[in-house]
Amino acid sequence: MSVFCKIYQNMSQNLINRISKNCNYKHYHWPLYKRAFLTDNPQSTVEDWYVWKERFQTHNWEIDIWTMTMDDFEYHWPYHSAFIRNSFEGANLFEEE
């Protein structure tokens, strides 16, 4: 079980809702998403970007958090994982990575 999954189990519904509101796909941000994806993943191709974008638009981070490794969750849900990291950064929960 990843650290993200452990943290998720103890999150309030209010925090989960805030993460979804702030991090879920917004169609008017796609140029920013594309630039960030290709910058954060320099080995990736434009085809990789389209695959990532499709998943980001159609999947649910609240389901994926239960089954993905830390690395996979950070790759597929970078905004959600960053929000979680920032929310819990003082708790030293990510030291066991």
Side-chain angles (χ1 to χ4, degrees):
M1 179 181 304
S2 78
V3 174
F4 288 118
C5 186
K6 290 176 186 174
I7 291 171
Y8 178 83
Q9 292 178 64
N10 295 305
M11 282 183 192
S12 68
Q13 189 60 50
N14 183 41
L15 180 57
I16 292 169
N17 292 344
R18 278 195 350 234
I19 293 169
S20 292
K21 180 181 177 190
N22 289 297
C23 301
N24 282 356
Y25 185 83
K26 294 168 183 70
H27 72 281
Y28 50 86
H29 284 163
W30 77 263
L32 300 173
Y33 297 143
K34 183 177 184 180
R35 184 175 32 222
F37 176 83
L38 294 173
T39 299
D40 292 346
N41 303 286
Q43 75 289 355
S44 295
T45 65
V46 173
E47 181 61 33
D48 295 331
W49 148 249
Y50 286 114
V51 170
W52 179 90
K53 180 183 170 191
E54 188 273 332
R55 180 178 183 78
F56 191 60
Q57 290 175 305
T58 61
H59 285 70
N60 186 331
W61 73 275
E62 290 186 69
I63 294 171
D64 286 347
I65 202 167
W66 292 97
T67 58
M68 288 185 166
T69 65
M70 291 282 295
D71 290 340
D72 287 344
F73 190 75
E74 288 181 308
Y75 175 83
H76 291 288
W77 302 103
Y79 307 104
H80 299 72
S81 63
F83 195 107
I84 294 167
R85 278 186 179 275
N86 290 336
S87 297
F88 293 91
E89 89 182 314
N92 299 323
L93 298 170
F94 294 94
E95 290 180 356
E96 67 181 62
E97 294 179 275

